[in-house]
Amino acid sequence: MDPLLAAGALFGIFLVLLFLGVPISASILVSAFSTALLILPWTATTYVVGQQMNLGVESFSLLAVPLFILAGNIMNNGGIAQRLIDLALVIAGRVPGSLAHTNVLANMLFGSLSGSAVASAAAIGGTLHERQRAEGYDPAYSTSVNIASASVGLLIPPTTAAIIYATVAGGVSVSALFMAGYVPGILMGLVVMVVAFIVARRRGYRSTQRVTPREALVVLLRAVPSLLLVIVVVGGIIAGAFTATEGAAVAVVYCLVLSFLYRALDREALVQIARRTVSSTGVVMLLIAASSAMAWVMAFTGIPGAITSALLGATSNAILIFALMLVILLIVGMFLDITPAILIFTPIFLPIATDLGMHPVHFGMVLILAMCIGTMTPPVGSVLFVATGVSGTTIESVVPRLIPQVLALVGLLVLITYVPVLSLGIPGMLGLLG
């Protein structure tokens, strides 16, 4: 079957199902199965698709995903998030929009520990929303800042997005991806803070809080045990003391110990945490299984090779090809969650990127950042819906406030794409790039 016809059938069926409101995992699976039927008989299609779904989730490294989800849920309920918010309040001080900056800093701190944009948006936004409203902040403005910064945790390690990308890309070091995420993640937070500062200064948003040096020291000491989690987990992975999966298990144990020391968990809370973890893990693993079947169909029909040949045949200008890739990824991010997007488009674009001289670690950062932007844009932005639900605002009121943030982050995406040292500098210095 001609690869372009296969691509048309595969993505055509997928888009139709998506617009009809069919769940993403079902849309991916049905489109992959239907396309395979055009080439193989029913029996062979059923066997191969089922086999590929099983192989997609049969990976030791993917065990880190449910473990990090569990760690994030424990942090969300174990008193850890509040300590990080208190620290962020002290750091933000009394500059214009200090509560907005607190939101960003807290998302950076909590997101780097939980690795979940949705968890950050719910935990941090839910905690700060009423305080921001009491100090006269426009709820739409506050919500837009929470949305724009909640995805930072998908870049700053430890992050499940990097683990999933490493699994699909093959031969890419998780340690290198973790280290590569620091600069883009910090820059993402700073970009959001700059835009928030400009708006806050125009509107006269100032904090009334006053913190003495003694109080600031107490807040810092209370937050240190939570911050040590990053050093323990990421430091252990980089030092080779344990793998990413083992590091995720360490994170779960560490969070449990902290939460019990804080006396923030009981038996009922643990049951609820377990239920949420199982539910979230089931969703993620189904997406991975379905996307693995689609990835096999694409490989079997030669779709990635055909797209690579078409793009490289149209122009040899790397700048133009990377620009086209960014446009496609930003559009894809509007409709797909980060997990299926990584699983589906890594096999398509990674060969093109490497042919043009882009390091796989660098491409991973570009892909994840593009998908971070996608989580905050309609019509399927998961963080957008969660954050507006937590704050009680409407999407219609938030989106206009969100546009400047999205444009600034798109500018950052372009910068990360064309300046490789921003992603590769730290892992290169640590000798992780091979």
Side-chain angles (χ1 to χ4, degrees):
M1 186 176 184
D2 182 77
L4 294 180
L5 289 178
L10 182 67
F11 294 113
I13 296 171
F14 172 70
L15 290 174
V16 169
L17 292 174
L18 201 62
F19 280 112
L20 289 176
V22 178
I24 292 177
S25 56
S27 299
I28 293 172
L29 186 57
V30 171
S31 59
F33 192 89
S34 302
T35 305
L37 276 177
L38 299 175
I39 308 166
L40 302 172
W42 174 272
T43 304
T45 299
T46 304
Y47 174 78
V48 172
V49 169
Q51 180 188 55
Q52 293 302 316
M53 291 179 68
N54 181 67
L55 291 173
V57 296
E58 195 177 35
S59 169
F60 176 74
S61 60
L62 286 180
L63 284 174
V65 175
L67 289 172
F68 275 126
I69 291 174
L70 176 57
N73 285 331
I74 294 171
M75 283 187 287
N76 203 7
N77 293 269
I80 297 175
Q82 185 59 55
R83 285 165 170 76
L84 296 177
I85 291 173
D86 293 341
L87 177 61
L89 279 167
V90 171
I91 296 173
R94 301 184 62 203
V95 298
S98 60
L99 287 180
H101 302 318
T102 297
N103 197 325
V104 178
L105 290 170
N107 272 329
M108 293 174 72
L109 294 171
F110 182 77
S112 68
L113 298 176
S114 69
S116 170
V118 171
S120 293
I124 307 304
T127 303
L128 286 174
H129 172 68
E130 289 303 323
R131 182 164 184 171
Q132 290 171 321
R133 186 188 293 272
E135 294 206 10
Y137 284 60
D138 175 16
Y141 162 79
S142 302
T143 305
S144 69
V145 173
N146 188 34
I147 293 169
S149 60
S151 298
V152 175
L154 298 176
L155 283 167
I156 301 177
T159 165
T160 56
I163 295 170
I164 293 171
Y165 171 76
T167 303
V168 181
V172 180
S173 166
V174 174
S175 299
L177 288 167
F178 277 7
M179 290 297 98
Y182 275 112
V183 173
I186 292 172
L187 288 177
M188 183 178 177
L190 290 175
V191 165
V192 175
M193 291 176 72
V194 168
V195 176
F197 174 82
I198 294 172
V199 176
R201 190 170 184 178
R202 290 175 179 175
R203 299 189 176 194
Y205 294 150
R206 289 187 176 274
S207 176
T208 58
Q209 69 160 349
R210 287 177 171 81
V211 179
T212 65
R214 181 183 177 84
E215 291 171 336
L217 180 60
V218 171
V219 169
L220 176 60
L221 292 176
R222 281 166 51 87
V224 164
S226 302
L227 296 175
L228 283 176
L229 175 60
V230 175
I231 298 175
V232 171
V233 175
V234 178
I237 294 173
I238 299 302
F242 39 73
T243 65
T245 303
E246 293 163 345
V250 170
V252 171
V253 174
Y254 191 98
C255 291
L256 277 173
V257 171
L258 273 188
S259 298
F260 281 122
L261 288 176
Y262 295 156
R263 297 183 179 180
L265 286 181
D266 54 26
R267 183 179 299 178
E268 184 178 348
L270 282 174
V271 171
Q272 294 300 320
I273 287 171
R275 287 176 177 172
R276 284 198 300 272
T277 301
V278 170
S279 177
S280 299
T281 300
V283 171
V284 172
M285 290 303 173
L286 181 58
L287 283 170
I288 292 174
S291 300
S292 298
M294 177 179 276
W296 177 86
V297 171
M298 290 192 297
F300 185 75
T301 55
I303 292 174
I307 294 176
T308 300
S309 299
L311 284 176
L312 296 180
T315 177
S316 59
N317 190 316
I319 294 176
L320 293 178
I321 293 177
F322 287 147
L324 180 60
M325 287 171 54
L326 293 183
V327 171
I328 294 173
L329 290 175
L330 288 171
I331 294 173
V332 165
M334 297 172 65
F335 298 95
L336 282 182
D337 196 17
I338 186 167
T339 298
I342 290 174
L343 291 163
I344 293 170
F345 286 91
T346 297
I348 295 177
F349 287 142
L350 180 57
I352 300 173
T354 53
D355 284 346
L356 295 174
M358 180 180 281
H359 195 283
V361 171
H362 180 200
F363 175 75
M365 291 301 102
V366 172
L367 175 60
I368 294 172
L369 178 54
M371 293 305 105
C372 286
I373 297 173
T375 64
M376 61 186 75
T377 54
V380 192
S382 56
V383 173
L384 173 66
F385 287 100
V386 169
T388 52
V390 167
S391 65
T393 53
T394 63
I395 293 176
E396 292 78 11
S397 65
V398 170
V399 167
R401 304 286 190 276
L402 189 60
I403 290 175
Q405 297 281 10
V406 171
L407 293 177
L409 291 174
V410 170
L412 174 63
L413 175 62
V414 173
L415 182 66
I416 296 297
T417 302
Y418 294 107
V419 185
V421 70
L422 296 177
S423 299
L424 303 179
I426 295 179
M429 287 188 295
L430 295 175
L432 299 173
L433 297 179

